[in-house]
Amino acid sequence: MENISMIIGGKPVAAATTFPVINPATGSTFATAAAGDASHVDAAVAAAQAAFPEWSSTPDAERQRLLHAIGASLEANMPALMELVTKETGKPLNGLNGVGAGMEVGGSIAWTHVTADLSLPVEVIQDNEVARVEVHRKPLGVVGSITPWNWPLMIAVWHVIPALRAGNTVVIKPSEMTPVATARFVEIANGILPPGVLNLVTGAPGSDVGPTMARHPGIAKIVFTGSTRTGRKIMENASGNLKRLTLELGGNDAGIVLADVDPKAVAAKLFGVAFHNNGQTCASLKRLYVHESIYEELCAELAKLAKATVVGDGLNHDTQLGPVQNKAQLAIVEELAADALAHGARFLSGGHVRAGSGYFYEPTVVADITDGIRLVDEEPFGPILPVIKYSDIDDVIRRANDNPSGLGGSIWSNDLAKAARLALRLECGTAWVNEHGAIQPDAPFGGVKQSGIGVEFGRYGLEEYTSIQTLKIMKA
Ligand code: NAD
């Protein structure tokens, strides 16, 4: 059994007690992790503060070399990391449309290399006989990273690598549900980085590790990915020293299919972007609005795909969807399904927890449902998709926008110009045409409204790990 230690100042650190990590495909413990507390946060912040002066003044090229070395080491450890990701998240090694542990580890490697290559050159605003004005980007200090359970390794990389690239040092706290692959990543990175540059503190369910980080006066910024509810608490706790915040929060993304689309041609893609990783992706398609003229046909195609999906233990190579990651999330899916049924919705597939061990839920397509019902209004974060009929495009754009979330949205049509115009009317951080949830390491990604604050990736994301210093040199 894996036993996860914390890593503080480059050294493994145990705690007085441990907590179990469950494999959701079996419901059994497959690892234990150190139950850290506020004293470990203090020690990790002190280690990160001690490492900051040297790391922040390390030449850019050297920092880039070390980050590329981390990317190479992740690649060398890819099969083992994939197995850990599958065991702790339940996501298949391969997965529906290739969205699985292989993508998570492969994405982590790609993001590491692309981010390592980014730079933030000095910007010259004015340079004349009177004065020279330059804008410099400086690291903030210690960054605290708090991550969720759905893409634990990739999100850890999304937080840690740009923070380090910009010259900050880091304390990371993974989700209590999925600390294992992150611990391995931090261990790998610590074989390359100077001690204290990247520290890991693990906390048991309900521990005070996350809140202590959010309140900690020695932490300059929190980068958080997780639920909107927790994001609000972090924002409150972070106010003491006016921490900088990047908050990547929940989504309830709408997709709108226009009447000109051929249901047979588009169904598999729509099914994939709604159901891969069991719908447990922040920017999965979670509300599908379909024009009335193609509604029944598209619903039938989606149901056919749902029934043909191979659900099982992600360690089997042909599994497309694994279990829901945890019991509590499974209960939310069941609750929203029961509520939809009570409101007269028509279940075209699934709708059941699978008997036996593990947290398996049949892929579920729900028709004859509309806004105002919880399954549409709330983020189910599971393998269940409400399909909603519409007739008027202005009305459906209004309905798509009538939600507190604003992470992503999509328009599906063969008329690309029209679709692009409609996509720009969606209130969300990323709008896709004939795609949903596709992200890349050089394009900014983030939420508007209650889906978050700030962006990640590329130059815009990197800038969030810096503060601006303006330098004005008078010449006359
Ligand atoms: P969560 O908010 O329950 O937990 C996330 C992390 O916050 C965990 O590490 C947890 O221990 C920690 N935490 C809990 N309470 C805390 C507190 N008071 N202070 C500080 N830290 C605290 O989220 P989850 O259930 O792990 O993740 C699922 C959610 O994450 C979904 O809503 C999903 O949409 C969202 N998400 C968003 C993005 C994005 O990029 N926008 C990406 C992935 C997931």
Side-chain angles (χ1 to χ4, degrees):
M1 187 174 307
E2 297 268 342
N3 295 301
I4 304 305
S5 301
M6 294 178 280
I7 299 177
I8 299 174
K11 296 200 176 68
V13 172
T17 56
T18 63
F19 63 95
V21 185
I22 308 286
N23 176 344
T26 61
S28 312
T29 302
F30 86 98
T32 62
D37 59 29
S39 71
H40 299 106
V41 176
D42 287 341
V45 172
Q49 283 175 321
F52 179 72
E54 196 180 322
W55 181 250
S56 58
S57 57
T58 298
D60 253 7
E62 176 62 1
R63 281 208 298 262
Q64 289 182 305
R65 187 185 70 75
L66 294 174
L67 296 182
H68 280 303
I70 293 173
S73 194
L74 288 175
E75 191 163 2
N77 286 280
M78 188 163 177
L81 283 166
M82 281 171 62
E83 191 178 317
L84 293 181
V85 166
T86 294
K87 283 185 175 165
E88 67 181 345
T89 64
K91 80 176 46 132
L93 291 168
N94 302 319
L96 183 64
N97 297 342
V99 180
M103 175 184 272
E104 175 147 13
V105 181
S108 302
I109 296 163
W111 250 267
T112 298
H113 288 303
V114 172
T115 307
D117 281 336
L118 294 173
S119 55
L120 293 171
V122 174
E123 197 183 331
V124 179
I125 300 287
Q126 177 187 335
D127 192 17
N128 57 18
E129 59 288 350
V130 180
R132 179 178 169 91
V133 180
E134 299 174 348
V135 177
H136 292 249
R137 291 272 173 184
K138 298 174 80 174
L140 300 164
V142 178
V143 169
S145 151
I146 302 177
T147 56
W149 48 256
N150 59 341
W151 291 91
L153 177 66
M154 192 142 76
I155 292 173
V157 163
W158 290 352
H159 291 184
V160 167
I161 300 297
L164 298 180
R165 175 67 196 86
N168 304 281
T169 54
V170 177
V171 176
I172 183 168
K173 187 207 95 61
S175 166
E176 53 277 17
M177 246 90 71
T178 53
V180 183
T182 306
R184 185 75 193 103
F185 158 57
V186 174
E187 193 185 350
I188 287 169
N190 267 272
I192 293 164
L193 297 168
V197 169
L198 175 59
N199 306 275
L200 171 80
V201 180
T202 44
S207 85
D208 59 353
V209 169
T212 302
M213 285 173 66
R215 280 193 294 265
H216 207 289
I219 293 183
K221 174 193 172 94
I222 294 282
V223 51
F224 169 73
T225 303
S227 64
T228 300
R229 199 169 59 91
T230 306
R232 276 192 208 105
K233 288 188 192 155
I234 288 176
M235 202 169 175
E236 275 174 38
N237 283 332
S239 67
N241 65 338
L242 294 180
K243 280 186 186 61
R244 276 51 188 156
L245 294 173
T246 299
L247 303 177
E248 295 288 359
L249 309 177
N252 195 4
D253 289 12
I256 300 174
V257 186
L258 304 192
D260 70 280
V261 164
D262 172 6
K264 279 200 170 57
V266 84
K269 180 115 194 214
L270 282 168
F271 184 79
V273 298
F275 282 89
H276 61 219
N277 201 32
N278 260 337
Q280 300 169 126
T281 298
C282 50
S284 289
L285 200 167
K286 291 175 183 143
R287 295 177 282 154
L288 182 61
Y289 293 88
V290 180
H291 191 265
E292 58 185 355
S293 61
I294 53 168
Y295 183 78
E296 287 303 334
E297 197 182 345
L298 186 51
C299 282
E301 290 296 324
L302 292 170
K304 214 189 293 171
L305 289 160
K307 287 175 187 160
T309 300
V310 181
V311 179
D313 189 328
L315 291 174
N316 300 331
H317 283 265
D318 53 357
T319 295
Q320 292 176 298
L321 295 182
V324 173
Q325 199 278 331
N326 60 77
K327 235 186 189 160
Q329 193 63 47
L330 184 62
I332 292 172
V333 173
E334 284 188 272
E335 188 181 314
L336 295 185
D339 181 69
L341 202 58
H343 282 87
R346 181 163 48 113
F347 280 57
L348 302 179
S349 67
H352 305 286
V353 174
R354 192 173 272 195
S357 55
Y359 313 138
F360 293 96
Y361 194 83
E362 310 274 352
T364 303
V365 176
V366 180
D368 296 349
I369 185 164
T370 191
D371 313 79
I373 295 173
R374 288 183 62 200
L375 182 60
V376 180
D377 292 355
E378 298 176 24
E379 178 188 37
F381 223 57
I384 182 163
L385 177 69
V387 189
I388 307 134
K389 194 186 291 182
Y390 80 89
S391 53
D392 176 71
I393 189 65
D394 292 322
D395 181 55
V396 75
I397 295 272
R398 183 192 59 73
R399 285 153 70 188
N401 288 337
D402 187 19
N403 191 281
S405 297
L407 192 57
S410 58
I411 305 285
W412 300 73
S413 171
N414 293 312
D415 183 342
L416 298 186
K418 179 180 174 188
R421 278 196 307 277
L422 292 170
L424 287 169
R425 289 173 58 190
L426 294 173
E427 293 169 1
C428 53
T430 305
W432 290 274
V433 170
N434 297 333
E435 179 56 275
H436 200 110
I439 50 170
Q440 55 192 69
D442 54 357
F445 172 75
V448 300
K449 301 200 285 189
Q450 290 184 37
S451 285
I453 294 177
V455 295
E456 296 187 273
F457 314 156
R459 177 172 66 82
Y460 298 96
L462 188 58
E463 285 177 354
E464 298 214 3
Y465 293 93
T466 67
S467 58
I468 282 179
Q469 186 174 43
T470 305
L471 176 66
K472 181 165 187 175
I473 306 160
M474 293 309 294
K475 296 187 190 170

